[in-house]
């Protein structure tokens, strides 16, 4: 690779947006809504601004490493990955395509983050197996911290649901 | 030119962040002890995930504190290289796990407090504290819901679960009072809009917690004393063993990485 090879910011952005989430690889970081911006700073260094889902999410260091790798592949080994805590990430930022991907993999996508808490826990989320809305919470956390486990009282199957935050 | 002393205000903000960070860190360590010991596997997962959120919050706050006090200590430096007297957590968070009802009683007191605190701190004039609190308030709200639901289940469950829940509340209430302790640091930072003086949260906290306890058929304890000392580094006798275990790997293999 020639030393001069450096993708422009739009090309880098296009690549960065395809990076999958480490824990939910069916969803890209862009569809998850955690990529805030990809831009060239005043010092001509490309900076990717990311917002954390949860502060203790174990996927955060993996996300950062994956983004650095992609930056290097785009000819920007000096690129920066910056974390921005505010405004706080909300599941409302998950794209329509991201929601479809979650649903296609059996994870019931989050509802409206503005809804009152008991509704957000998943009461009334339709069962992905039989469609019944007679579902109830089984566990407040699932295979990842951002999911909760619900159980369907009609078909007795349990299923994951991504919590609205 | 000699290096500049960090200005007083930054050191105060660093001390404030250290208190909040130590609260989260120490409770995280206590909650981790429930893994494989909780009443159900869902609860193993719940308490460990709450602990993980607390760890993320503690790391953010400790790293911020180390940057603000001018020493440039990292979150690891502050977590693993301080001794007992340098920790600033409230005593409530270091008390041993007790039974499950005791743990839920502590969660109830702490999460209602942090939920209110972070909600207000999100409007702090300090950008570091405000951006942390914006994120952490959402997490605290969910932890709060978890604790409140368990309090109601245990309170209305069996005679035994009710007795244990009430006993857990009686045990922790004198310690919960320390969370609302007023001192010069919080008063001063509150006046300039940087921190939230915890005393101002007490009325709202009592209202919320009383609501949950009433729904659970439990009695709000009326203790005759209150704990103090954690914010100045004077801990209970259980704290040194907790810290020794927490820091043991770091101290045996200083600088070790994986």
């Amino acid at each position: 690779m020639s030393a001069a090879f450096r993708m422009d910011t739009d090309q880098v952005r296009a690549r960065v947006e395809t990076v999958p989430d480490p824990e939910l690889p069916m969803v890209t970081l862009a569809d998850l809504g955690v990529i805030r911006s990809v831009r060239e700073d005043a010092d001509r260094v490309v900076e990717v601004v990311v917002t954390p889902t949860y502060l203790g999410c174990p996927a955060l260091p993996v996300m950062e490493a994956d983004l650095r790798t992609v930056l290097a592949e785009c000819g920007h080994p000096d690129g920066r990955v910056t974390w921005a805590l505010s405004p706080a990430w909300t599941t409302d930022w998950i794209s329509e395509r991201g929601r479809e991907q979650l649903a296609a993999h059996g994870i019931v996508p989050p509802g409206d983050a503005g809804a009152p808490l008991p509704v957000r826990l998943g009461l009334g989320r339709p069962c992905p197996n039989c469609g019944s809305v007679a579902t109830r919470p089984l566990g407040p956390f699932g295979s990842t911290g951002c999911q909760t486990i619900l159980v369907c009282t009609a078909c007795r199957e349990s299923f994951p649901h991504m919590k609205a935050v | 030119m000699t290096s500049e002393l960090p200005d007083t205000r930054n050191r105060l903000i660093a001390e404030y962040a250290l208190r909040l960070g130590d609260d989260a860190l120490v409770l995280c360590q206590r909650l981790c002890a429930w893994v494989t010991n909780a009443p159900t596997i869902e609860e193993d997962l719940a308490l460990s995930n709450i602990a993980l959120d607390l760890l993320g919050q503690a790391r953010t706050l400790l790293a911020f504190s180390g940057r603000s006090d001018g020493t440039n200590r990292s979150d690891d430096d502050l977590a693993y290289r301080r001794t007992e007297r340098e920790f600033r957590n409230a005593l409530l968070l270091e008390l041993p796990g007790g039974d499950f009802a005791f743990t839920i009683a502590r969660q109830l007191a702490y999460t209602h407090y942090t939920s209110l605190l972070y909600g207000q701190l999100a409007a702090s004039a300090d950008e570091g504290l405000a951006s942390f609190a914006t994120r952490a308030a959402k997490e605290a709200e969910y932890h709060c819901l978890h604790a409140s639901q368990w309090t109601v289940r245990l309170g209305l469950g069996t005679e035994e679960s009710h007795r244990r829940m009430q006993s857990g509340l009686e045990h922790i209430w004198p310690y919960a009072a320390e969370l609302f302790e007023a001192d010069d640091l919080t008063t001063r930072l509150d006046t300039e809009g940087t921190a939230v003086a915890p005393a101002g949260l007490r009325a709202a906290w009592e209202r919320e917690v009383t609501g949950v306890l009433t729904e659970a058929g439990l009695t709000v304890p009326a203790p005759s004393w209150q704990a103090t000392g954690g914010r100045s580094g004077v801990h209970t006798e259980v704290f040194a063993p907790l810290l020794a275990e927490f820091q043991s790997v770091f101290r045996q293999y200083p600088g070790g990485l994986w």
Side-chain angles (χ1 to χ4, degrees), chain B residues 111 136 188:
Chain B
T111 61
R188 183 172 159 188

Side-chain angles (χ1 to χ4, degrees), chain A:
Chain A
M1 192 183 292
S2 86
F5 169 79
R6 266 165 104 82
M7 282 188 188
D8 68 34
T9 310
D10 287 339
Q11 290 172 306
V12 174
R13 185 180 300 112
R15 277 293 308 279
V16 161
E17 290 186 342
T18 62
V19 175
D21 177 76
E23 286 188 329
L24 303 166
M26 69 294 262
V27 181
T28 64
L29 293 183
D31 283 330
L32 192 61
V34 298
I35 305 285
R36 308 303 301 285
S37 69
V38 180
R39 59 163 190 253
E40 192 176 275
D41 274 357
D43 55 4
R44 299 194 57 78
V45 170
V46 169
E47 181 184 40
V48 181
V49 181
V50 208
T51 190
T53 47
Y54 292 78
L55 289 173
C57 176
L60 300 181
V62 185
M63 279 185 202
E64 184 167 333
D66 290 351
L67 289 169
R68 282 186 197 290
T69 306
V70 166
L71 284 173
E73 285 168 5
C74 295
H76 294 270
D78 56 341
R80 272 193 291 265
V81 178
T82 309
W83 292 95
L85 297 184
S86 179
W89 177 78
T90 158
T91 44
D92 288 350
W93 293 352
I94 301 177
S95 70
E96 212 39 60
R97 188 171 56 181
R99 286 163 199 273
E100 283 163 16
Q101 285 297 315
L102 287 171
H105 289 80
I107 301 173
V108 176
D112 177 6
L117 269 176
V119 176
R120 278 207 243 162
L121 246 187
L123 281 175
R125 289 272 122 200
C127 168
N129 305 299
C130 74
S132 164
V133 288
T135 57
R136 60 177 178 78
L138 180 65
F141 293 89
S143 59
T144 66
C146 53
Q147 297 174 61
T148 178
I149 306 293
L150 304 181
V151 65
C152 173
T153 55
C155 73
R156 320 287 265 176
E157 286 289 341
S158 60
F159 60 93
H161 163 55
M162 194 184 221
K163 291 177 287 211
V165 290

Side-chain angles (χ1 to χ4, degrees), chain B residues 42-69:
Chain B
E42 288 79 11
E43 212 34 44
D44 272 350
L45 270 172
L47 292 174
S48 52
N49 271 289
I50 290 171
L52 197 55
D53 284 343
L54 292 174
L55 183 63
Q57 294 171 8
R59 291 187 64 176
T60 307
L61 286 164
L62 294 187
F64 172 76
S65 180
R67 280 197 305 277
S68 306
D69 69 6

